Each structure stands twice: as C-alpha cells, then as structure tokens.
Amino acid sequence: MVKILLVHNGGVASSCLKKYLSGLLQVDLTEVRTIQDGVKRSQIFLPEIICIPLSADTDSDIHEIMELQHQCHINGFYPGFLLYTLHENHLFFLDITHESISIPINLVNTGHQLLSSLRQISGRSKVERSLRDDYERQNQIVTKMPLSCLQVEDGIISRSNPFFSTLTGIDPSDIIRTPVQSLVSLDPSHEEELTKNLHQVMCIEAAIRDKNADLLPCRITIDPVDSDKPGDGIWFIEDRREYAAINAVLRETEYECKEQLYLSETLVMKLQPDGTISFANPATIRCFGYDPDTLAGLNVNILFPPGSIQDVTNPSELFLEVSDESSSAIHIFEHCKKSGERLWIAWTSRGLYTRESELSGIICIGTDMTEQASTGEERMSTRVWRDRILQSTDISPEIFDAILQACIEIGREGREGKAIGTSFLVGDADEVLKRSRQLILNPFSGHPPEMRTVSLPDVREMLKEYALLDGAFVVTGDGILESAGRYITLDTSSISLPKGMGTRHSSVAALTGVTKSIGFVVSESGGKVSIMKQGKIVKVIA
C-alpha cells in the first residue's frame, strides 16, 4: 500500500489524477486543497508521496513546497515530491525529490503506468529515508562517543567530532580544512609505514597539538577506507595522557628499584658541625678499609685524597652545599681508602638542627659508585644514576660519560697548573645554539665531524686548551662539538641555586630549563662538577 497525499486545486489535472489514483487498490489516498493544508495534514498522515499541481504562481508554490519539505524532514520522514500537469492527453510528472525527471503518463493506460511510476518513486523515497536514518544514527554515535575522531582527505581534515575539540581546546572551525600534520605529530618511521600499508588498519603511538601547541600523547587507529593516499581515512584518537603519566611513574619506580638493588649495602655516617665523624656503620668502615670503631673521632677529611680539599675550611660543609627534596644522592665525592685506593661515593645528606636553628650534626647516607676500568684502575660508575638523567634527551650514555670524564679531568688538573672553570651544554644542540651567541670565532667551524668527536682522546685534550676561553661548549647528543665560546642570552632571574654558584652556573641552569639539554659546569674554585637538567642541579661531583 502506497500512501499518497494529493494537493487538489480543482483543476482538470487534479481531477484526472484523483480519478485514476482512487481506482487503484494499492493506493491509500488523502486529499487536501492547498499546499498549506498539506503541511498540517502530512504530520498526521505521513505520506510516502506528495503530488502537487503546477500552477501559474510558480514563485509562491516553490516557497510553500520548500516549507512542506522542511516540515517533513523535521518530523523525521522523507516523502517523494511530484509536480504534475496535464498536456495534450498526457499527465506529466516532475520528480523533484532527487533530481528533475519528467515522467509522461498516457491517459489511455494511466492506471498501470501510474502505479508503476509511483512505486518507483516510493521505493526511492524509502531508500533515501533508510540512508538518512543510518547517517543520523552513525553521526550521533560519532558525535557522542568519548573518542576523538577525524576524517582526512588528501591530507586535509574534512570532519571532526566534538570530543576532538574538547581534547585539544581548538575551535571546530579552526580544525576543518587544516592539514592533519599541523595537529598530529608522527614519527618519521610511522609515515613510511603509512606509505607501505595503504589499505591496512594501523595503530600507532603519536602526539597531538592542543591550542597552546603542547603535545598530548595519544594512540591513533587509522582506517584507510579504500583510499590510495597515505594517511587518508578515518583517524580514531585515544587520549594517552593518563597512560603516559602512569608509565612515567612506573619508569621512575623501576629506576628507584634498580638503584636499591644495585646499591644494596648502604653507608651511614654522622658528622659533627666541625667535620668530626661521630658515627660510622660497619658498611662504611669496611668500605674505607678501617678497623671496627676506628673512624669515630677522626675528621672526615681523612676520607678524601690528599690535597683534594685543601681550600675547604670545614669539609663537613661539602655535604650540605646542595640540598634537594628527592631521596636520590646528588653529591658524588672522590674518596680514598686507608690503603690509598680511590673510590667514589654518592651521598645523600641532611642537616640536624636545634630549636634555635643551629646546626648540630649531619647525617650522610652513601653508596659506593666505584667500578674497575679495563685497565684495572678504579673509576666512578655512572650506570645506576645516568639513565634517569638521560631520560627524554638525545644523549647517548657513552657521550655522557665522555663529557663527565673530561669535566673531572679539567676540574682536577686545570691547565698548566692553573685552576680553570668551564661549562658544557650537551644534547638538543639546535635549540641551544638558537638561545646563545658566539663570543669569539668558533674554533670548530669547518672541521669534519670525525675531528670533533668528544669520545676521542685527542679531542678531550683539545677541550682542556679551549676551556681557557670564556663561554660554553655546545655538544650534540651523539658527541659532535658544535661550538666553543658560546654566550648564553637568557634571563636567569628565575633560577634559584645554592650560594656560591655564580653566573656560569645560573646561565647553564637557565638554558637547560628551556631545552632538552644537560649542562655540565666545572667550578674554578675547587674543581667540582655540577650536572644540571631542567633548570636544577641533579648531581654534584667533587
């Protein structure tokens, strides 16, 4: 049964069409006098086809027909619209539902032809209604699902759902027609994979940029939907910030466990304000090679190599020079055993104070960081603590150790018997160079990389020569010396460092706060090496 709403204006064409429709058993016919009446009646009758006569007042009819179509769509149904007229014994129908198609009906055999044509129109109307319903349901799912979604065509975002705007804080109008690469940061390897696997669904870890240009970690599932262009298709974006935060905590816990497992035998020592050792646990006594109960009452300078702290009035002050709220040791001192062998201890120190805020003692918790070099000599191990420092940088462990060794040698030996101070900025070299300027002619300019690699012994000797120059060294994460004599052009007013640390320390700390570099500063007085990251001191080696 086809439900038809007939607008009958009293004309010959309307009467003729009513006559033939009324004679068809398969038709449920409802008649109205005007299009305006049809607007009201259609809401109750819900017709599949609406037949409207062509009249002389075409402009008025068009306005009323559009109003009728709009009202039908608001009520959730999509009937077919036929304009009809009578000409030379033929009924002509104009289907305006999809496109202008004229359907001539011969009055001699009108019943058969009319029913066949009406069924075709009814069928198209049902298909369109089904497609619209499916589209609306899918659109509601995409709009309301708590997952960001983008549609990409030719590398341009053609559609996004509200959750993507909520996640990034970007207005929807600023997302559409935007290149997807301007909002999504992909690893180059992923871009190559997209090219190789055009027709496969891919899941990749990436990051999206919010309105402040900050990168938010995410997981992207790309459905290519039969596209022949890399990256085109539907992008489903899962917010991974919580996962990244949990993963960071897990990594930090792993580092802590690694340190605890590797450094299981803890050294404990208590000092008086004047540097006298008042307590040393058995592990400390064994580590330094003394007999039981023989360290108590001695001055702590006995644990340092001869001549290494000759400029320090009270050695106990060394343990309180740098304070940190974390539990990780940031003092690493070179010591000597009773036998004269060298060793390196990482200390965490806390001052003990009276109610009057006077220092009454110092508790020192330490761990032996010494390892044997291939030559059989003792050296400081960085294996346990450098992983945490190198996290989120482009610096290799080998280059970190090479720079640290060069700094220790410069701090210990100076140049031609004269103490010197210098600084290194390692990693994220492009950003470091942008935020500094050359004080002198760059001595490394024009030299091939193999002659500027800090891991080479000859280059480390050359560093001691150039350390006499003012300014900092700039080194890439893979160990290539980019420059010497760099002046850091940054405001250091927000940097807070312990007393006694000057401009060199504060400027290097400031630059590590705005780049992903690591700073090494050799102090001219005492030769201590301070390692800095994210604007803070993370290790001090003396």
Side-chain angles (χ1 to χ4, degrees), residues 214 392-393 425-436 487-495 505-519 532-536:
D214 294 330
S392 302
T393 72
L425 285 152
V426 187
D428 203 8
D430 291 339
E431 293 300 319
V432 171
L433 292 173
K434 288 178 185 177
R435 292 169 170 82
S436 61
Y487 175 68
I488 300 171
T489 55
L490 283 180
D491 180 17
T492 62
S493 59
S494 61
I495 298 299
H505 290 80
S506 59
S507 59
V508 171
L511 193 47
T512 63
V514 295
T515 64
K516 293 183 178 181
S517 63
I518 292 176
M532 302 176 179
K533 183 181 180 182
Q534 297 177 344
K536 298 179 181 179

Side-chain angles (χ1 to χ4, degrees), residues 333-349:
F333 294 138
E334 182 182 7
H335 293 283
C336 66
K337 297 183 179 182
K338 184 178 181 181
S339 62
E341 296 179 32
R342 300 298 175 93
L343 72 161
W344 284 261
I345 307 295
W347 296 100
T348 297
S349 305

Side-chain angles (χ1 to χ4, degrees), residues 9-131:
N9 64 357
V12 177
S14 297
S15 299
C16 184
L17 180 58
K18 178 182 178 182
K19 172 184 175 182
Y20 286 104
L21 290 176
S22 301
L24 297 174
L25 296 176
Q26 298 91 339
V27 173
D28 182 5
L29 181 64
T30 295
E31 180 182 347
V32 293
R33 299 298 296 176
T34 65
I35 298 175
Q36 287 293 335
D37 293 339
V39 173
K40 300 175 182 178
R41 185 61 179 167
S42 64
Q43 299 179 38
I44 302 172
F45 182 57
L46 301 180
E48 297 175 53
I49 299 174
I50 299 177
C51 297
I52 304 171
L54 282 170
S55 66
D57 191 2
T58 306
D59 292 341
S60 176
D61 284 352
I62 290 175
H63 177 74
E64 291 180 350
I65 291 170
M66 290 177 63
E67 176 63 27
L68 178 55
Q69 284 182 315
H70 178 67
Q71 192 63 45
C72 291
H73 294 174
I74 289 177
N75 292 322
F77 67 100
Y78 303 88
F81 280 78
L82 289 179
L83 303 183
Y84 65 90
T85 187
L86 182 65
H87 181 68
E88 295 181 354
N89 206 34
H90 282 74
L91 273 171
F92 284 90
F93 293 85
L94 190 63
D95 184 358
I96 63 171
T97 306
H98 305 279
E99 55 188 6
S100 297
I101 302 176
S102 178
I103 309 170
I105 303 297
N106 191 326
L107 292 181
V108 177
N109 192 21
T110 301
H112 175 72
Q113 290 182 333
L114 185 59
L115 182 60
S116 176
S117 299
L118 292 179
R119 280 177 171 169
Q120 291 179 17
I121 295 169
S122 176
R124 287 201 302 269
S125 177
K126 289 179 180 179
V127 170
E128 180 184 4
R129 183 164 60 251
S130 176
L131 292 174

